[in-house]
């Protein structure tokens, strides 16, 4: 039976920094060979889509602002009309009661 020390001396292990460096080099080479030419049109397409999404979002923001202004105007006009009708009803309330009591 061999000791544990004998097994370690038989199979030398590369240092961690050396293995990482070799893996990085391998990855760079394989990425350049396979992915770089395929990625460029896809990146361009994504950039185009992002540009259109931003343009659409700007349109939506403008529409929301317009809707807010319309709602505020409509609410103000409705409050004015209701206030005017309430004032008229209050000032003519005595006449209305006398017409109904006859």
């Amino acid at each position: 039976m061999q000791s544990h020390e004998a097994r370690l001396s038989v199979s030398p292990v590369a240092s961690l920094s050396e293995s990482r460096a070799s893996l990085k080099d391998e990855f760079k080479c394989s990425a350049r060979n396979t992915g770089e030419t395929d990625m460029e049109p896809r990146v361009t397409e994504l950039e185009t889509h992002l540009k259109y999404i931003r343009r659409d979002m700007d349109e939506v923001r403008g529409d929301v602002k317009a809707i807010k202004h319309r709602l505020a105007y409509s609410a103000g006009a409705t409050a004015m009309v209701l206030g005017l009708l309430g004032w008229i009803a209050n000032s003519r309330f005595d006449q209305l009661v006398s017409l109904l009591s006859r």
Side-chain angles (χ1 to χ4, degrees):
M1 207 177 208
Q2 290 182 342
S3 69
H4 183 66
E5 294 173 6
R7 285 186 196 164
L8 288 178
S9 63
V10 171
S11 59
V13 178
S15 71
L16 185 60
S17 60
E18 290 175 4
S19 64
R20 281 189 178 177
S22 65
L23 285 175
K24 284 182 182 180
D25 291 337
E26 254 182 65
F27 179 72
K28 286 179 184 177
C29 291
S30 65
R32 286 186 188 136
N33 293 337
T34 60
E36 194 170 287
T37 57
D38 294 335
M39 292 297 288
E40 186 63 32
R42 295 174 72 190
V43 170
T44 305
E45 184 180 357
L46 287 172
E47 288 173 346
T48 305
H49 287 304
L50 185 63
K51 181 173 65 172
Y52 290 141
I53 289 170
R54 285 183 178 170
R55 185 195 65 201
D56 293 342
M57 287 301 296
D58 289 339
E59 288 179 16
V60 168
R61 284 186 189 118
D63 293 344
V64 167
K65 284 182 183 179
I67 290 170
K68 282 182 182 179
H69 289 299
R70 288 181 185 171
L71 284 175
Y73 180 75
S74 298
T78 302
M80 283 288 272
V81 168
L82 288 176
L84 184 62
L85 288 175
W87 178 70
I88 291 172
N90 190 22
S91 65
R92 302 292 182 188
F93 185 71
D94 294 336
Q95 291 177 357
L96 188 65
V97 169
S98 64
L99 284 173
L100 292 175
S101 64
R102 286 187 190 175

